[in-house]
């Protein structure tokens, strides 16, 4: 059952990427919505789940929050190092670094964890499996949307963006199938979600949203961002 549901997530991811690809004439709206979706996934889905699963504290701070900050810093350091390297080779100041767009590979890792979580939920029981399935299938649309947008934003060509999209779509199926072979401990999954949430927040706040409002500081862009957050809130609420 988990693998069947993961196939639905596969189709939803492709649908999200297709939507992002078709609205190039409204790029600022796409980016505004993507930023809102990413912010909503981090604050309303990933971080609460990470805090619940990875409950240990280190020097008075929950492990999930430490890894959340670590993920944010790692994303920032990687981007800065690549930018410095590009500047050393004579690139224009402020130009996008194509390799950074491949940070969307982290989203593939997240989708893989989605599939693993889906399989683990069905191991717990049917009710838990259905709740997780609703959340995974619905927000994988956002994953596909964000993966294609993020990869394209940094100047990667269409072929590379589509490759990342298909990898992101296939990841939940692989993750769900893998749970047929083992039982996943809760704490490592929570730790990963905390780290990934930090990476995703950096990409949304430092890259996606500034780009969305740079050339089109319109109310419609802001409404798309708020709508993205509200949409994730609705998905999380329905899954409870």
């Amino acid at each position: 059952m988990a693998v069947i549901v993961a196939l639905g997530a596969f189709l939803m991811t492709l649908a999200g990427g297709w939507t992002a690809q078709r609205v190039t004439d409204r790029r600022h709206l796409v980016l505004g919505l993507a930023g809102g979706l990413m912010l909503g996934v981090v604050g309303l889905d990933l971080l609460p789940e990470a805090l619940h699963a990875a409950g240990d504290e280190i020097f008075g701070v929950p492990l999930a929050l430490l890894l959340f900050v670590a993920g944010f810093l790692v994303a920032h350091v990687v981007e800065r190092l690549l930018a410095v390297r590009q500047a050393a080779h004579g690139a224009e100041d402020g130009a996008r670094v194509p390799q950074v767009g491949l940070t969307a590979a982290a989203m593939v890792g997240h989708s893989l964890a989605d599939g693993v979580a889906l399989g683990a939920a069905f191991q717990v029981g049917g009710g838990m499996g259905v709740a997780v399935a609703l959340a995974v299938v619905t927000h994988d649309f956002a994953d596909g949307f964000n993966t294609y947008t993020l990869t394209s934003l940094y100047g990667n060509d269409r072929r590379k963006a589509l490759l990342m999209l298909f990898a992101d779509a296939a990841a939940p199926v692989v993750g769900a199938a893998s749970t047929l072979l083992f039982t996943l401990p809760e704490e490592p999954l929570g730790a990963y979600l905390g780290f990934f949430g930090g990476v995703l927040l950096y990409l949304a706040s430092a890259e996606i949203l500034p780009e969305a409002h740079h050339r089109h500081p319109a109310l419609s862009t802001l409404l798309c961002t708020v709508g993205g957050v509200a949409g994730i809130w609705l998905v999380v609420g329905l899954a409870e």
Side-chain angles (χ1 to χ4, degrees), residues 40-41 43-50 52 126-136 138-139 231-240:
V41 167
L44 306 178
D45 187 11
L46 292 184
L47 199 53
E49 186 173 344
H52 174 74
M128 175 68 73
V130 170
V132 174
L134 176 62
V136 168
T138 306
H139 95 250
I232 295 298
W233 186 11
L234 177 62
V235 170
V236 172
L238 290 175
E240 290 295 330

Side-chain angles (χ1 to χ4, degrees), residues 25 30 44 55 59 94 123 171 191 219 224:
D25 58 330
V30 171
L44 306 178
F59 206 63
Q123 289 177 3
L219 179 61
C224 282

